[in-house]
């Protein structure tokens, strides 16, 4: 395989790695968005009696239905509990780390390949100039 073909294939592989990392970062962003929705939006639940009850957002409540509702016979606290939101956030961390590593690896590989090509081109131009000056 010629060096140019190898270099083009190397760049293509690096681009695929970078694009895969970007996809993982999008997935991590969606997980963060889901966590934000779980914590910042109001929601409604159906009580055992069949009625619908409005519940305050989990993050923006202080002693509201979402945190202390169980003590007053309200089931809002059971519907959106903190462990679920923290599990979503915890799942996003390794996904984001892997995405960051892949984007970085792919980007650096492409840049180094371009740098190596520029160096080869400069060496070729210098060799041609030296040949002309010797003649």
């Amino acid at each position: 395989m010629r060096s140019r073909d190898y270099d083009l294939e190397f760049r293509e592989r690096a681009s695929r790695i970078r694009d895969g990392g970007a996809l993982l970062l999008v997935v991590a962003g969606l997980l963060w968005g889901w966590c934000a929705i779980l914590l910042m939006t109001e929601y409604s639940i159906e009580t055992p009696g069949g009625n619908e009850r409005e519940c305050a957002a989990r993050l923006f409540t202080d002693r509201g239905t979402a945190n202390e509702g169980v003590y007053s016979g309200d089931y809002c606290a059971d519907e959106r509990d903190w462990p679920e939101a923290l599990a979503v956030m915890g799942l996003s961390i390794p996904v984001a780390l892997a995405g960051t590593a892949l984007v970085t690896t792919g980007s650096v590989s492409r840049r180094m390949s371009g740098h190596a090509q520029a160096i080869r081109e400069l060496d070729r131009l210098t060799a041609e100039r030296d040949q002309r000056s010797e003649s």
Side-chain angles (χ1 to χ4, degrees):
M1 178 181 277
R2 300 195 55 146
S3 64
R4 178 174 166 77
D5 295 335
Y6 177 78
D7 191 47
L8 291 175
E9 184 180 317
F10 179 82
R11 287 184 191 193
E12 187 178 316
R13 262 193 332 265
S15 292
R16 283 195 307 266
I17 289 171
R18 185 188 62 204
D19 293 344
L23 181 65
L24 285 177
L25 288 174
V26 167
V27 169
L30 291 173
L31 288 171
W32 273 88
W34 183 19
C35 182
I37 287 172
L38 287 174
L39 293 176
M40 296 183 196
T41 58
E42 294 182 355
Y43 56 100
S44 60
I45 62 165
E46 188 174 326
T47 62
N51 299 328
E52 196 161 299
R53 170 86 172 141
E54 290 295 319
C55 300
R58 199 73 161 129
L59 191 61
F60 301 126
T61 183
D62 185 32
R63 300 186 182 275
T65 56
N67 289 327
E68 294 184 3
V70 173
Y71 300 122
S72 62
D74 192 0
Y75 297 96
C76 288
D78 293 337
E79 185 67 21
R80 285 193 185 171
D81 207 4
W82 284 102
E84 179 184 359
L86 292 177
V88 171
M89 189 181 302
L91 179 63
S92 73
I93 291 171
V95 173
L97 289 174
T100 302
L102 290 175
V103 166
T104 302
T105 300
S107 297
V108 169
S109 295
R110 278 190 62 84
R111 294 286 304 232
M112 292 303 294
S113 176
H115 177 72
Q117 181 180 355
I119 295 295
R120 284 191 303 270
E121 186 66 22
L122 287 173
D123 288 345
R124 184 185 65 78
L125 290 173
T126 303
E128 286 177 5
R129 187 188 67 196
D130 291 344
Q131 275 183 344
R132 276 185 280 174
S133 65
E134 289 176 0
S135 300

